[in-house]
Amino acid sequence: MSLLVVGTVAFDAIETPFGKTDKIIGGAATYISLAASYFTKDILLTSVVGGDFPKESLEMLRNHGVNLDGLQIKENEKSFFWSGRYHNDMNTRDTLATELNVIAGFDPIVPESAREPDFLMLGNLMPSLQHKVMAQLRKRPKLIVLDTMNFWMDTALEELQKTISQVDVLTINDAEARQLSGEYSLVKAAQKILEMGPKVLIIKKGEHGALLFNREQVFYAPALPLEDVFDPTGAGDSFAGGFIGYLAQTKDISFDNMKRAIIFGSAMASFTVEKFGVERLVGLAQDEVDERVQEFIDLVQFDISLV
Ligand code: AMP
């Protein structure tokens, strides 16, 4: 089923306790599209880059089956740039710089042929732009998933709340759930956030897995205990890409299938963190993905019979 992805395609500079990168490619939509490409090949990406973005990275996305007809290239401008530094626990980070550059004047245009997608993934981006993409669609997709972050809660809360009210699934991390709801308990935070509009909320907790809520139920997926966590950047986006990619592949948006989808999302995130940037997510073999998912199954399977 067709998947429309919007979000940043960017340069990142990252510092972790294990090393530091100069500008490498990143961006929410980059990670989402790559992760989703292991589940569906009908992906169209809408975003914008400057003339400085490497052409071979665009080629790499095309080689993953990502259609770039909705990607604008502004030759005389600079790509979005984000820089972050991770703390020793790797679960928390400080944003050192967010330079909107080409995103500041971005007017997303979804190509005519992609205006009736089955699935819409609104990756991290200015909420007003996420909204503009939704407004261009001819009919409501089967499922709209929104990912966002504290930066937009701090700088564009009203616009963000409007966008949140119109989506089916919201994915944010635990600190962002607390910020958005004003509640410390994640259960209370989830209740409040679900009242804002979404039917489903996913709270990502980094190395502590992810929680999936609807109004009646809650489900938990662990993160895989990995020997080497090198760089968590893009883990949340890879999670979202695996999640929506799996739903698009299986054409089933029930809560039970979402339980499976967050395992696939967690599997894709577990690859991303093993190397800097998108390196580990590029060119995975299907066997590797299957084996990783099997590790999750083995991790949480237990045999208890209550008498
Ligand atoms: P994640 O680690 O999953 O939260 O995503 C990190 C990616 O998000 C990086 O590759 C950044 O380029 C991108 N990013 C960082 N800040 C923002 C922002 N304010 N809006 C959109 N994308 C962002």
Side-chain angles (χ1 to χ4, degrees):
M1 296 211 124
S2 58
L3 168 62
L4 176 63
V5 176
V6 58
T8 44
V9 174
F11 281 123
D12 293 339
I14 303 156
E15 281 178 46
T16 81
F18 302 107
K20 199 174 159 170
T21 66
D22 284 331
K23 282 189 176 177
I24 56 173
I25 71 146
T30 310
Y31 285 103
I32 292 167
S33 304
L34 284 173
S37 74
Y38 293 95
F39 303 95
T40 171
K41 288 294 175 205
D42 196 355
I43 303 175
L44 188 126
L45 187 159
T46 296
S47 190
V48 66
V49 290
D52 52 357
F53 199 78
K55 302 287 176 280
E56 53 282 12
S57 299
L58 299 181
E59 206 43 45
M60 176 276 289
L61 283 164
R62 281 195 200 94
N63 290 339
H64 271 259
V66 182
N67 182 333
L68 299 183
D69 288 353
L71 180 77
Q72 299 174 29
I73 303 177
K74 304 274 183 202
E75 285 300 342
N76 299 321
E77 294 181 45
K78 280 162 69 178
S79 300
F80 177 86
F81 172 68
W82 175 79
S83 162
R85 183 189 297 135
Y86 288 86
H87 299 176
N88 273 340
D89 67 1
M90 297 283 248
N91 260 341
T92 44
R93 70 182 177 203
D94 296 324
T95 288
L96 303 177
T98 302
E99 294 173 14
L100 296 179
N101 296 330
V102 75
I103 290 283
F106 179 40
D107 186 16
I109 299 167
V110 181
E112 270 301 320
S113 59
R115 292 194 175 185
E116 292 186 19
D118 299 304
F119 287 79
L120 172 62
M121 180 68 229
L122 297 171
N124 199 2
L125 189 68
M126 224 181 267
S128 57
L129 297 181
Q130 293 173 318
H131 201 261
K132 259 190 172 171
V133 167
M134 269 196 284
Q136 286 175 38
L137 304 186
R138 279 191 291 268
K139 67 175 197 346
R140 189 174 171 91
K142 233 169 127 69
L143 192 80
I144 304 178
V145 179
L146 168 70
D147 184 54
T148 188
M149 74 186 282
N150 54 355
F151 182 83
W152 302 116
M153 292 175 194
D154 296 337
T155 60
L157 183 61
E158 217 169 289
E159 197 60 48
L160 178 63
Q161 281 167 331
K162 196 166 124 197
T163 309
I164 288 176
S165 73
Q166 294 180 15
V167 305
D168 300 303
V169 181
L170 172 67
T171 74
I172 44 180
N173 70 28
D174 41 0
E176 290 155 354
R178 290 183 171 119
Q179 178 172 350
L180 188 61
S181 64
E183 293 285 350
Y184 181 80
S185 148
L186 291 181
V187 174
K188 284 189 188 154
Q191 284 163 355
K192 271 206 179 164
I193 293 169
L194 290 172
E195 275 164 23
M196 297 175 189
K199 297 180 210 54
V200 173
L201 170 70
I202 297 173
I203 300 182
K204 301 166 285 181
K205 289 160 61 65
E207 66 169 333
H208 304 299
L211 291 161
L212 172 72
F213 292 91
N214 68 9
R215 280 168 199 243
E216 294 86 35
Q217 303 166 73
V218 53
F219 179 74
Y220 170 69
L224 204 63
L226 292 166
E227 228 172 278
D228 295 307
V229 175
F230 220 73
D231 168 22
T233 308
D237 305 313
S238 309
F239 174 93
F243 174 78
I244 202 164
Y246 179 76
L247 293 178
Q249 182 189 51
T250 52
K251 307 182 183 67
D252 174 358
I253 56 167
S254 65
F255 192 74
D256 274 342
N257 203 43
M258 286 187 189
K259 291 182 185 176
R260 286 185 277 277
I262 66 168
I263 301 292
F264 282 85
S266 303
M268 299 321 291
S270 76
F271 285 118
T272 295
V273 303
E274 285 180 330
K275 294 218 169 130
F276 269 119
V278 297
E279 199 182 333
R280 188 72 175 100
L281 206 51
V282 174
L284 286 167
Q286 189 57 48
D287 280 2
E288 287 180 275
V289 177
D290 293 348
E291 277 166 30
R292 191 52 68 94
V293 172
Q294 187 60 48
E295 286 184 56
F296 273 86
I297 298 170
D298 295 342
L299 181 69
V300 289
Q301 217 163 34
F302 40 81
D303 197 10
I304 299 177
S305 56
L306 291 176
V307 281

